[in-house]
C-alpha cells in the first residue's frame, strides 16, 4: 500500500499560488525581454571576434530566467492540483493603501515640474501623512499640516544642507 | 615604525586642529551615512572642495574620518528603516531590522557599532602590518579569478538569503539582467534601454536599493492590518549588550573582520561580497542556521565587522599599488593627486611620514567614531522611533524620493526607486527573496566584464578550471548551490522510505 501523504506535508495552497504567479511573471519577463533583445537593431548581434559580444550574457540569463519560470509554474501547478485556490478578492483589496502610496509618489516629478520641488513635497507629505494616519484618532487637518511640514523640512535639508538642485 | 605611529596618533589626539578636523569628519559621516541615498562616496565628494586649501595630512584626516564613520552609519538606516545606504549594509538589514522590529533597535545599533569598530581596528592592524604582502596576493587576481569571485558572491547570497532557493535564483537572474541595462562597457552597444536616453547609463544601485528595501518596506507596513503593530517599536532603556553576550560574538567579529580585510583588498570586489561571505560563513558554522534573518546579534556582527574591515582592506591596494578598489578610494586617490602626490610604491619610499600620518588618521577616526556614535549617535538615532507612524511613513517615503534623486540629480533615479519599490513590494507579497535581485544588480556588470575579458584572452571556458583560485571558487560555489538541495532531497527520500517500510 502506498503511503497517503499527510495533509500537513502537502504544500500550502497560498505558496503554490505564489509559485504560479512568480513563475508566470518570470516567463512573461523572459519572453518579453527575449523578443525585445533579439529584435534589437544595430550592432548587438554582430560577430565581435574573440569577444562573445554584448548579447552573450543576456541570452544566458534570459534562458535561466525562463527555466526558473517553467520550474516555478510547474511546482505551483502541481501544488494547486485538485486543491481549492485560496480566496484572492479580499487579499487584493487589502493592497489599496500600497497602490495609493505609489500613486502619490508618482506625482512627485510632475508636481515638481509644475510648481517646484518645495510645493510638490508639501503636497506629497500631507497626502502620505493622511494615508498613513487614516486609522489614527488625530484630526485630519493636523495630520496633513504635520505631513506637509515634514516634506518642507526634508526639502530644506536636501536643498540647502546638501546643495541638491531639487 | 610602530613608535612613529603611536607618536602620530597621540599628536593627532592632542592637536586641536587635527582633532577638530577628525571630529567634524566623524560627525558629518554619521549624518550623511545615516541618510538613505547619501553614500560614503557622495559624502566624500561633498567634502572634497573643502580640502583644496588644506595640507595633505589635514585633508586625509578629514576624508578618512568621513569615510569610516559613514560606512558605519550606513547600518543605521538599514536597522531603523530597512533601507541600506550602501551595498555593504544590505546584509545587515536582515537581522538588524528584524531585531528593531522586536523593540531592540538601540541594541542592534550598539552591536553594529561595536562590530564596526572591532572590524575597523582589525582592518587597520592588517593594513599597517601586512599591506605589501596582501597587495601582492591581490595582484594575482586576473579576470578569471574576478569572474569566479563574483559567481562565488552570488552563490553566497543565494545561500545566505532566507526563502525558497528556486525563487531566489529567479530573483538573482532578474537582478543580473537589471545590472546589464545600459551601454555595454566593451562595445558601447545599448541593451534593454527601450530606446530611452535615460537608461543608457545603466541603473544605479542606490535608487534600486532604496526602492527594493525602503519603499517596499513602507508599502508593506501600510497594507498590514490596522491592529497589527506595524511600527518599529521604541527601544527599551537598555542599549548596550551585556559583556557575556559580547564575548560570545568575538569569534564571529574576528572572522568577519579578517574576511572583510582580505576581500576589501581585492580591487573592485567591494564590501558587497565581503559581507555576504562573512554572513554565509557564520550561518554555515552556526548550530542554528535557521535563526539567521530572525534578528540575532550574530547576523549583525558578521556583516558589520566585515563591512568596516573593508575600509582598511580597500586602502591596501590604494596605498601600495595606487589602484582604487572602489569609488570611495578613487575619491581618496583624487585628494592625494590634488596635492601632487601619486599613491603607490613610490609613496612608501618618498613620503614615509605621510603614510604614517594616514595610518594614524584612520585610527583616530575609528576611535572618534566609537566615542561620538556611542555617546551621541545612538541616543539621537533612537529618537527616530518615537516619531508617530504617520509622520515616519511620510518622512521615509519623501526621504526615499530625495535620496534617489540626489545620487545623480536625475529624475530617472526617482522613477527607478518607485518602480523597484513596487517590484520589492510584489516580491514581499509573493515570498520571493529580494536580496538576490539587489546583489545581482551590483555584481552583474562585474561578472560580465570579467567573464568576457577571460574568454577574450583565453578563448576557452576551461581556463576557469585550469587556474587554482578560480577553480576552487567555482567548485565551492557549485557545492553551495547544489549540496543543500541534494541533502534535502536525500532526507525526504529517507523519510518516505522509512514510512513505507513501517507501513504508515
Amino acid at each position: 500500500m502506498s503511503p497517503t501523504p499527510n495533509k500537513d506535508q502537502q504544500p500550502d495552497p497560498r505558496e503554490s499560488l505564489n509559485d504560479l504567479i512568480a513563475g508566470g511573471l518570470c516567463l512573461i519577463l523572459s519572453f518579453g525581454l527575449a523578443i525585445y533583445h533579439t529584435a534589437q537593431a544595430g550592432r548587438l548581434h554582430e560577430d565581435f571576434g574573440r569577444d562573445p559580444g554584448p548579447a552573450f550574457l543576456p541570452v544566458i540569463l534570459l534562458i535561466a530566467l525562463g527555466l526558473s519560470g517553467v520550474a516555478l509554474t510547474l511546482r505551483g501547478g502541481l501544488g494547486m492540483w485538485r486543491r481549492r485556490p485560496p480566496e484572492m478578492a479580499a487579499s487584493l483589496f487589502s493592497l489599496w493603501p500600497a497602490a495609493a502610496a505609489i500613486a502619490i509618489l508618482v506625482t512627485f516629478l510632475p508636481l515638481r515640474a509644475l510648481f517646484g520641488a518645495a510645493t510638490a513635497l508639501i503636497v506629497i507629505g500631507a497626502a502620505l501623512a493622511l494615508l498613513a494616519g487614516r486609522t489614527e484618532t488625530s484630526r485630519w487637518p493636523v495630520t496633513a499640516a504635520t505631513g506637509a511640514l515634514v516634506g518642507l523640512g526634508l526639502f530644506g535639508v536636501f536643498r540647502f544642507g546638501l546643495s541638491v538642485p531639487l | 615604525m610602530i613608535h612613529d605611529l603611536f607618536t602620530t596618533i597621540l599628536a593627532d589626539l592632542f592637536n586641536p586642529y587635527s582633532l577638530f578636523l577628525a571630529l567634524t569628519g566623524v560627525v558629518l559621516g554619521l549624518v550623511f551615512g545615516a541618510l538613505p541615498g547619501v553614500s560614503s562616496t557622495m559624502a566624500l565628494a561633498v567634502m572634497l572642495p573643502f580640502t583644496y586649501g588644506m595640507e595633505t595630512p589635514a585633508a586625509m584626516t578629514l576624508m578618512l574620518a568621513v569615510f569610516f564613520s559613514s560606512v558605519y552609519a550606513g547600518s543605521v538606516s538599514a536597522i531603523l528603516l530597512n533601507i541600506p545606504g550602501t551595498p555593504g549594509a544590505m546584509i545587515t538589514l536582515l537581522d538588524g531590522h528584524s531585531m528593531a522590529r522586536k523593540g531592540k533597535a538601540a541594541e542592534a545599533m550598539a552591536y553594529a557599532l561595536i562590530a564596526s569598530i572591532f572590524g575597523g581596528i582589525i582592518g587597520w592592524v592588517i593594513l599597517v602590518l601586512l599591506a605589501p604582502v596582501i597587495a601582492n596576493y591581490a595582484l594575482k587576481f586576473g579576470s578569471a579569478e574576478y569572474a569566479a569571485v563574483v559567481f562565488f558572491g552570488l552563490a553566497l547570497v543565494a545561500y545566505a538569503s532566507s526563502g525558497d532557493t528556486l525563487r531566489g535564483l529567479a530573483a538573482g537572474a532578474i537582478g543580473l539582467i537589471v545590472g546589464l541595462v545600459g551601454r555595454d562597457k566593451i562595445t558601447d552597444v545599448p541593451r534593454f534601454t527601450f530606446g530611452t536616453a535615460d537608461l543608457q547609463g545603466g541603473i544605479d544601485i542606490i535608487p534600486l536599493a532604496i526602492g527594493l528595501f525602503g519603499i517596499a518596506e513602507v508599502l508593506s507596513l501600510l497594507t498590514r492590518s490596522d491592529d497589527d503593530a506595524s511600527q518599529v517599536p521604541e527601544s527599551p532603556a537598555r542599549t548596550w549588550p551585556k559583556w557575556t553576550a559580547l564575548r560570545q560574538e568575538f569569534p564571529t567579529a574576528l572572522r568577519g573582520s579578517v574576511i572583510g580585510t582580505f576581500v576589501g583588498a581585492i580591487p573592485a570586489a567591494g564590501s558587497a561580497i565581503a559581507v555576504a561571505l562573512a554572513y554565509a560563513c557564520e550561518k554555515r558554522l552556526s548550530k542554528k542556521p535557521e535563526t539567521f534573518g530572525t534578528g540575532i546579534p550574530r547576523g549583525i556582527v558578521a556583516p558589520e565587522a566585515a563591512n568596516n574591515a573593508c575600509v582598511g582592506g580597500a586602502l591596501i591596494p590604494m596605498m601600495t599599488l595606487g589602484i582604487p578598489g572602489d569609488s570611495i578610494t578613487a575619491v581618496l586617490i583624487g585628494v592625494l593627486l590634488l596635492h601632487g602626490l601619486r599613491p603607490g610604491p613610490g609613496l612608501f619610499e618618498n613620503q614615509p611620514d605621510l603614510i604614517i600620518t594616514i595610518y594614524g588618521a584612520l585610527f583616530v577616526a575609528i576611535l572618534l567614531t566609537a566615542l561620538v556614535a556611542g555617546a551621541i549617535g545612538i541616543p539621537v538615532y533612537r529618537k527616530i522611533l518615537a516619531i508617530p507612524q504617520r509622520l515616519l511613513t511620510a518622512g521615509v517615503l519623501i526621504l526615499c524620493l530625495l535620496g534617489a534623486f540626489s545620487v545623480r540629480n536625475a529624475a530617472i533615479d526617482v522613477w527607478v526607486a518607485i518602480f523597484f519599490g513596487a517590484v520589492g513590494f510584489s516580491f514581499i507579497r509573493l515570498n520571493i527573496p529580494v536580496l538576490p535581485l539587489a546583489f545581482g544588480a551590483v555584481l552583474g556588470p562585474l561578472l560580465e566584464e570579467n567573464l568576457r575579458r577571460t574568454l577574450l584572452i583565453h578563448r576557452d571556458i576551461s581556463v576557469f578550471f585550469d587556474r587554482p583560485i578560480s577553480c576552487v571558487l567555482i567548485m565551492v560555489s557549485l557545492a553551495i548551490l547544489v549540496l543543500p538541495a541534494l541533502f534535502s532531497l536525500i532526507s525526504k527520500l529517507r523519510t518516505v522510505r522509512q514510512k513505507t517500510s513501517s507501513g504508515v
Side-chain angles (χ1 to χ4, degrees):
Chain A
M1 200 176 120
S2 63
T4 310
N6 186 329
K7 201 178 176 185
D8 293 343
Q9 287 178 328
Q10 290 180 357
D12 177 3
R14 191 166 290 278
E15 284 303 306
S16 298
L17 187 66
N18 285 346
D19 272 345
L20 214 55
I21 297 170
L25 288 174
C26 286
L27 283 174
I28 292 169
L29 194 64
S30 63
F31 277 116
L33 288 177
I35 290 166
Y36 175 78
H37 187 66
T38 48
Q40 186 177 321
R43 296 169 56 226
L44 182 64
H45 302 287
E46 274 180 19
D47 183 7
F48 289 87
R50 287 171 67 168
D51 178 8
F56 172 66
L57 195 59
V59 169
I60 293 174
L61 293 173
L62 289 171
I63 292 171
L65 185 61
L67 289 176
S68 305
V70 169
L72 282 167
T73 310
L74 279 176
R75 193 172 73 177
L78 287 172
M80 295 283 287
W81 184 253
R82 288 191 206 161
R83 301 196 72 181
R84 244 178 66 181
E87 184 58 50
M88 289 285 292
S91 174
L92 279 177
F93 183 73
S94 70
L95 302 181
W96 79 263
I102 291 173
I104 293 168
L105 293 179
V106 163
T107 59
F108 170 60
L109 288 173
L111 283 176
R112 172 177 165 264
L114 284 172
F115 306 109
T119 313
L121 290 172
I122 286 171
V123 173
I124 287 173
L128 287 172
L130 284 173
L131 179 68
R134 66 192 182 280
T135 55
E136 291 180 12
T137 48
S138 54
R139 288 167 58 197
W140 73 264
V142 178
T143 304
T146 46
L149 273 177
V150 169
L152 191 63
L154 286 172
F155 168 80
V157 169
F158 276 78
R159 180 68 188 85
F160 304 110
L162 295 169
S163 304
V164 177
L166 285 166
Chain B
M1 180 191 171
I2 300 293
H3 176 259
D4 293 345
L5 196 54
F6 277 108
T7 314
T8 307
I9 291 167
L10 286 175
D12 276 352
L13 282 174
F14 291 103
N15 177 339
Y17 181 55
S18 297
L19 195 61
F20 168 74
L21 285 176
L23 260 176
T24 308
V26 164
V27 171
L28 289 173
L30 289 174
V31 174
F32 285 160
L35 287 174
V38 184
S39 62
S40 304
T41 314
M42 187 179 166
L44 286 173
V46 168
M47 297 310 297
L48 190 61
F50 295 100
T51 65
Y52 292 164
M54 293 178 187
E55 295 288 318
T56 315
M60 289 305 284
T61 300
L62 178 70
M63 296 303 258
L64 286 169
V66 175
F67 181 13
F68 187 84
S69 57
S70 63
V71 169
Y72 154 70
S75 70
V76 172
S77 59
I79 290 168
L80 292 181
L81 309 173
N82 203 34
I83 306 171
T86 58
M90 280 202 284
I91 292 275
T92 306
L93 60 80
L94 291 177
D95 282 276
H97 190 63
S98 302
M99 211 163 157
R101 293 183 67 83
K102 290 178 184 172
K104 295 179 179 174
E107 201 178 334
M109 284 190 286
Y111 270 113
L113 176 63
I114 294 165
S116 298
I117 299 304
F118 186 85
I121 290 173
I122 297 290
W124 179 82
V125 170
I126 296 175
L127 167 73
V128 171
L129 297 178
L130 299 174
V133 181
I134 298 173
N136 282 336
Y137 130 86
L139 270 186
K140 285 184 182 160
F141 270 63
S143 53
E145 284 77 14
Y146 276 120
V149 160
V150 174
F151 184 59
F152 181 55
L154 287 168
L156 289 171
V157 173
Y159 173 75
S161 60
S162 56
D164 181 71
T165 310
L166 188 56
R167 291 180 201 167
L169 285 174
I174 295 171
L176 286 167
I177 293 169
V178 168
L180 300 183
V181 171
R183 286 196 170 270
D184 171 39
K185 279 181 188 161
I186 299 174
T187 59
D188 203 34
V189 172
R191 292 172 302 180
F192 304 123
T193 55
F194 302 97
T196 54
D198 286 335
L199 287 176
Q200 306 255 339
I203 291 176
D204 194 278
I205 185 64
I206 298 297
L208 180 138
I210 285 175
L212 272 183
F213 298 103
I215 295 179
E217 172 70 13
V218 178
L219 295 181
S220 188
L221 287 175
L222 279 171
T223 52
R224 279 181 201 153
S225 60
D226 298 335
D227 51 358
D228 182 14
S230 53
Q231 188 176 7
V232 172
E234 200 178 344
S235 292
R238 195 165 70 83
T239 300
W240 299 100
K242 287 179 182 164
W243 173 244
T244 46
L246 274 180
R247 224 170 37 189
Q248 285 176 352
E249 305 304 335
F250 175 73
T252 300
L254 192 61
R255 281 189 290 267
S257 305
V258 173
I259 289 170
T261 312
F262 279 84
V263 177
I266 302 169
S271 55
I273 293 176
V275 295
L277 180 55
Y279 191 82
C281 173
E282 289 311 313
K283 197 173 171 183
R284 185 79 196 88
L285 291 172
S286 171
K287 286 174 186 165
K288 294 178 182 171
E290 70 280 0
T291 57
F292 277 75
T294 60
I296 58 168
R298 195 156 295 179
I300 300 170
V301 171
E304 276 306 303
N307 191 21
N308 283 66
C310 273
V311 173
L315 289 178
I316 292 171
M318 180 197 125
M319 302 282 286
T320 55
L321 306 168
I323 299 172
D326 51 23
S327 54
I328 303 170
T329 43
V331 177
L332 288 178
I333 285 183
V335 175
L336 289 174
L337 290 173
L338 272 172
H339 290 85
L341 296 164
R342 182 166 290 280
L347 199 64
F348 278 79
E349 285 173 19
N350 305 327
Q351 302 266 351
D353 292 347
L354 180 66
I355 298 289
I356 289 174
T357 305
I358 290 173
Y359 288 166
L362 179 60
F363 191 79
V364 170
I366 296 170
L367 283 184
L368 290 179
T369 302
L371 288 173
V372 177
I376 305 165
I378 292 178
V380 170
Y381 292 142
R382 64 189 289 182
K383 296 282 179 216
I384 293 170
L385 300 177
I387 300 170
Q389 194 207 340
R390 60 183 188 280
L391 298 184
L392 196 62
T393 302
V396 170
L397 285 176
I398 291 173
L399 209 51
C400 287
L401 290 178
L402 297 177
F405 182 83
S406 61
V407 174
R408 297 186 292 191
N409 300 333
I412 183 70
D413 289 333
V414 176
W415 291 121
V416 165
I418 296 171
F419 175 77
F420 281 100
V423 169
F425 176 66
S426 313
F427 273 33
I428 293 170
R429 300 291 297 191
L430 293 170
N431 245 343
I432 302 172
V434 176
L435 205 58
L437 196 161
F439 267 76
V442 174
L443 299 177
L446 205 59
L447 175 69
E448 184 187 38
E449 193 182 334
N450 289 292
L451 184 66
R452 280 170 60 191
R453 191 174 291 156
T454 308
L455 293 174
L456 197 66
I457 297 167
H458 302 282
R459 283 199 129 170
D460 193 357
I461 204 152
S462 66
V463 67
F464 288 108
F465 299 96
D466 293 341
R467 298 169 74 108
I469 297 175
S470 61
C471 182
V472 168
L473 286 170
I474 287 176
M475 288 304 185
V476 174
S477 308
L478 290 175
I480 288 169
L481 288 175
V482 175
L483 285 183
L486 203 65
F487 287 147
S488 160
L489 191 71
I490 291 169
S491 147
K492 274 182 188 166
L493 286 174
R494 243 183 226 158
T495 315
V496 170
R497 196 178 296 166
Q498 276 172 359
K499 284 191 175 171
T500 314
S501 60
S502 62
V504 178

